Amino acid sequence: MRCLFCKIIEKEIPSKTVYEDERILAFEDINPQAPIHTLVIPKKHISRSLDISNDDNELIGQLFHVANKIAKDRGVAERGFRLVMNCNREAGQTVFHLHLHLLAGRIMHWPPG
Ligand code: 5GP
Ligand code: ZN
């Protein structure tokens, strides 16, 4: 399955890489909703959080470790940052390749819209 984010992983579609290792890619969101808006994704294609299996437990932990590292490196870890994962249509998921939004650099409101 070769979705939009799979093509970004393959560098077939350009993106601004923030972090990359064997299993994870992080890149800038094309339509940022905050001064920092980075997407952290597994290189393995998983469509939605509903499709995470037990085999993926370590991988999902790595997603969070990478998000934390980026927040620290960008100097927003102590100020605060938000991690969001939308699942399915009503939550606003538009790209069906698992991704963690890292949002930071402004006051976040709650509840989210
Ligand atoms: P979702 O709405 O599925 O939770 O988030 C998808 C995100 O992917 C959106 O924030 C959207 O701006 C971003 N996005 C969609 N297409 C592209 C693209 O081609 N490149 C990048 N860098 N981000 C994209
Ligand atoms: Zn994909």
Side-chain angles (χ1 to χ4, degrees), residues 3 6 45 97:
C3 74
C6 284
H45 179 90
H97 182 125

Side-chain angles (χ1 to χ4, degrees), residues 48-87:
R48 311 163 301 168
S49 63
L50 277 171
D51 301 308
I52 295 168
S53 77
N54 279 333
D55 292 344
D56 301 318
N57 288 349
E58 195 183 324
L59 182 63
I60 299 308
Q62 287 173 332
L63 273 190
F64 282 85
H65 289 301
V66 169
N68 287 342
K69 177 180 162 36
I70 294 167
K72 287 178 195 164
D73 289 350
R74 303 284 278 269
V76 294
E78 297 308 322
R79 283 171 58 191
F81 59 95
R82 183 170 288 175
L83 300 177
V84 176
M85 188 177 282
N86 297 320
C87 185

Side-chain angles (χ1 to χ4, degrees), residues 1-5 12 16 30 36-37 39 41-42 45 48-50 53 69 71 83 85-86 96-97 101-103 105:
M1 172 137 191
R2 308 233 321 115
C3 74
L4 175 67
F5 285 179
E12 211 174 299
K16 280 177 114 178
I30 204 167
I36 294 174
H37 188 171
L39 301 173
I41 71 173
H45 179 90
R48 311 163 301 168
S49 63
L50 277 171
S53 77
K69 177 180 162 36
L83 300 177
M85 188 177 282
N86 297 320
F96 285 78
H97 182 125
H101 295 257
L102 164 58
L103 295 146

